[in-house]
Amino acid sequence: MTKFNELNLNPKVLKAIEEAGYEAPTPIQEGAIPPALEGRDVLGIAQTGTGKTASFTLPMITLLARGRARARMPRSLVLCPTRELAAQVAENFDTYSKHLKLTKALLIGGVSFKEQDALIDRGVDVLIATPGRLLDHFERGKLLLTGVQIMVVDEADRMLDMGFIPDIERIFSLTPFTRQTLFFSATMASEIERITDTFLSAPARVEVARQATASETIEQGVVVLKGGRRDREASAKRKVLRALIDSEGDKCTNAIIFCNRKTDVDICAKSLKKYGYDAAAIHGDLDQSQRTRTLDGFRDGSLRLLVASDVAARGLDVPSVSHVFNFDVPGHPEDYVHRIGRTGRAGRDGKAITICSGRDEKALLAIEKLIQKEIPRLENPLKEEPETEAQKPEKKSKPADTKKADNRKADSKKNDRTKDKEPRGRGRRDDRGPAVVGMGDHLPSFIALSFDERRTG
Ligand code: AMP
């Protein structure tokens, strides 16, 4: 097994690594550090949790230890998709460069321009930024990118998801073409491949095993909710979530609960709090100080349940998260891997439980295809509560919202009447019967079937 001291890193960096308690380099570090130290471009295909941040920060610090920064001309640049990730990369630099004198600035939303401007004016060795904020500074004439010797793009696939690729291309074109590029992505979409083909020069390609296959320490399970009324789905899921947290009991020391939508992040956190759980929300719309406070609380153990969106939790580095709950099945199967990778870190045990409503089963199958494993089906902790006849909307009682439906029905009847008066050939087609305006009273029979019946029947 390779040791850190065989990698040609600066002795002061080695000292910091030792103090961090790392025994040996991870596979991505072993693969990426030597070519990076030789000044080569690196294409790293690795996810968070693999030690990829150190695989670029350690050689960068070693290379930057020689030389000095000039005013307004950073010597290196690290681009991250989110502020949280940028802040974490900055922390990594602090940890590993503590025995060296390197300067850095952080350009992220929510941090004041003024302070960072002053740092950049004096000259920084490392500039860590989100792409939008970096270009803001550049356009204000506060920054020159012509001194950049090393440029890192971290989590490029997430940049792609967030629409940052044009910004990245622009930033590439503002830096000298002689720069060294260290480029990281969890997956290689064709758009990412185009970028690497264009901007990287004969890179050393280092690929490490997908986290899905590596994290055998994560116990997975899914509760599939069958049937039930769609308008009650969210509240049913919240009930199931509470029951799952309760049934895990003390084993659930802390957990991240993922929702697909920001609105659900808020609702879910509020609802948990209402029921007496120690929970708080984090997503991109909250202001920076609030997000920092919440994350700090979660990190130091004073907050038990963190309800999060994918983007906000991306790169969140809390080594001991006992549970991950997916309130929704993520739309992108890769996100499932990222989500569950928040638990079971550094060889610890972890548990990831997903709640899947009937209509999300297709997304669940896509995940199972990606991870090449069936996720064990768990019993609904509330037991199945089959819908009683009285609960069905059309029968007997009329819930409040059926009034609106009645109005819509009346409207559609009106439509049916006007439709009949329309000249042939415009509003209707002879070969397909009368044109349907909305659905009116007509409910196609397949709509009434459950998801399973539709697929098999
Ligand atoms: P990353 O993939 O960069 O998000 O890193 C995941 C976690 O692994 C972080 O908590 C790092 O501090 C930790 N880590 C990085 N390198 C090593 C190593 N060689 N040995 C043990 N832990 C490490």
Side-chain angles (χ1 to χ4, degrees):
M1 195 167 58
T2 311
K3 295 200 180 103
F4 273 115
N5 61 14
E6 292 165 349
L7 293 177
N8 277 332
L9 291 163
N10 182 303
K12 289 182 177 168
V13 174
L14 287 175
K15 191 168 174 225
I17 294 171
E18 202 184 318
E19 285 163 6
Y22 302 165
E23 282 169 12
T26 63
I28 186 78
Q29 291 162 2
E30 202 179 322
I33 294 172
L37 285 175
E38 285 166 20
R40 287 184 62 189
D41 283 359
V42 173
L43 170 57
I45 304 162
Q47 297 175 335
T48 48
T50 54
K52 70 170 169 57
T53 318
S55 78
F56 62 82
T57 45
L58 300 176
M60 277 176 83
I61 297 167
T62 300
L63 294 169
L64 294 167
R66 281 166 277 154
R68 271 209 157 183
R70 286 161 59 193
R72 288 200 290 153
M73 290 175 75
R75 298 165 69 204
S76 70
L77 177 62
V78 182
L79 295 173
C80 300
T82 65
R83 321 175 196 187
E84 277 76 22
L85 191 59
Q88 262 169 41
V89 170
E91 272 174 31
N92 269 262
F93 269 103
D94 288 344
T95 308
Y96 307 133
S97 69
K98 66 185 200 192
H99 302 299
L100 287 153
K101 278 202 185 75
L102 288 184
T103 50
K104 66 163 197 344
L106 188 58
L107 290 185
I108 54 175
V111 171
S112 95
F113 272 106
K114 223 171 130 196
E115 248 169 68
Q116 306 302 306
D117 273 351
L119 287 171
I120 292 167
D121 273 352
R122 262 180 269 147
V124 288
D125 297 301
V126 186
L127 180 59
I128 303 158
T130 48
R133 193 68 179 228
L134 179 87
L135 287 173
D136 280 354
H137 270 258
F138 180 79
E139 266 141 28
R140 288 164 60 241
K142 296 284 182 190
L143 185 64
L144 286 167
L145 295 175
T146 43
V148 171
Q149 296 155 21
I150 308 170
M151 172 163 157
V152 177
V153 179
D154 195 12
E155 307 217 346
D157 49 346
R158 182 54 48 148
M159 302 265 198
L160 176 66
D161 282 354
M162 297 173 74
F164 285 150
I165 294 297
D167 286 352
I168 300 289
E169 288 188 77
R170 169 129 195 263
I171 296 166
F172 265 125
S173 69
L174 297 171
T175 59
F177 80 99
T178 50
R179 65 159 196 269
Q180 178 183 8
T181 309
L182 311 174
F183 192 100
F184 290 82
S185 187
T187 54
M188 284 302 286
S190 57
E191 182 67 356
I192 304 274
E193 207 145 322
R194 184 183 66 77
I195 302 285
T196 55
D197 286 350
T198 313
F199 296 103
L200 270 63
S201 153
R205 189 183 164 109
V206 187
E207 187 163 358
V208 299
R210 300 191 72 85
Q211 217 179 333
T213 51
S215 37
E216 292 301 328
T217 52
I218 305 172
E219 185 186 338
Q220 300 174 56
V222 57
V223 177
V224 180
L225 305 179
K226 295 271 184 197
R229 277 180 43 183
R230 201 153 159 175
D231 60 344
R232 294 199 183 151
E233 184 184 294
S235 83
K237 281 163 85 177
R238 289 195 292 273
K239 220 171 172 183
V240 170
L241 174 66
R242 293 195 297 274
L244 286 170
I245 297 171
D246 292 347
S247 67
E248 290 301 308
D250 291 343
K251 280 183 283 169
C252 177
T253 47
N254 59 350
I256 305 179
I257 298 159
F258 284 97
C259 301
N260 290 0
R261 286 164 291 271
K262 284 182 222 165
T263 45
D264 284 333
V265 170
D266 273 331
I267 295 170
C268 198
K270 275 193 194 127
S271 151
L272 284 167
K273 272 191 263 183
K274 197 178 92 185
Y275 282 91
Y277 295 81
D278 178 22
I282 176 165
H283 58 69
D285 287 351
L286 301 172
D287 73 52
Q288 184 64 21
S289 63
Q290 210 173 345
R291 295 190 331 166
T292 309
R293 221 177 317 127
T294 304
L295 284 180
D296 285 349
F298 191 65
R299 274 203 195 99
D300 70 24
S302 56
L303 172 71
R304 183 181 176 220
L305 304 173
L306 180 72
V307 189
S309 62
D310 287 288
V311 170
R314 181 80 176 191
L316 173 68
D317 184 19
V318 180
S320 53
V321 175
S322 74
H323 285 64
V324 164
F325 294 99
N326 288 317
F327 182 75
D328 305 293
V329 178
H332 298 292
E334 291 83 12
D335 282 340
Y336 177 80
V337 179
H338 290 140
R339 288 181 181 189
I340 71 165
R342 309 289 101 208
T343 180
R345 298 193 122 191
R348 288 187 181 87
D349 288 337
K351 197 160 179 181
I353 308 179
T354 301
I355 304 173
C356 174
S357 63
R359 67 197 158 104
D360 285 341
E361 275 184 295
K362 223 170 151 184
L364 183 64
L365 293 178
I367 291 168
E368 293 183 321
K369 195 169 159 214
L370 173 74
I371 63 173
Q372 292 176 5
K373 194 173 150 182
E374 198 183 326
I375 304 172
R377 272 33 179 189
L378 307 177
E379 208 179 304
N380 182 341
L382 298 172
K383 305 278 181 279
E384 295 287 314
E385 283 176 13
E387 217 175 30
T388 59
E389 279 303 298
Q391 280 176 313
K392 290 191 176 162
E394 298 81 7
K395 307 266 165 75
K396 289 179 195 167
S397 65
K398 276 194 178 182
D401 58 353
T402 53
K403 273 190 187 158
K404 272 190 203 154
D406 285 349
N407 290 341
R408 278 200 297 273
K409 270 190 195 168
D411 284 349
S412 72
K413 273 189 184 149
K414 263 190 244 160
N415 280 339
D416 282 347
R417 281 195 294 276
T418 43
K419 188 174 64 197
D420 283 339
K421 282 179 203 150
E422 274 186 12
R424 289 174 80 84
R426 255 188 69 214
R428 46 194 299 165
R429 292 228 198 125
D430 292 342
D431 52 344
R432 294 200 212 151
V436 175
V437 179
M439 274 183 191
D441 282 333
H442 170 70
L443 182 71
S445 56
F446 73 89
I447 299 263
L449 295 175
S450 80
F451 186 79
D452 278 340
E453 284 168 306
R454 250 183 282 165
R455 266 204 316 192
T456 51

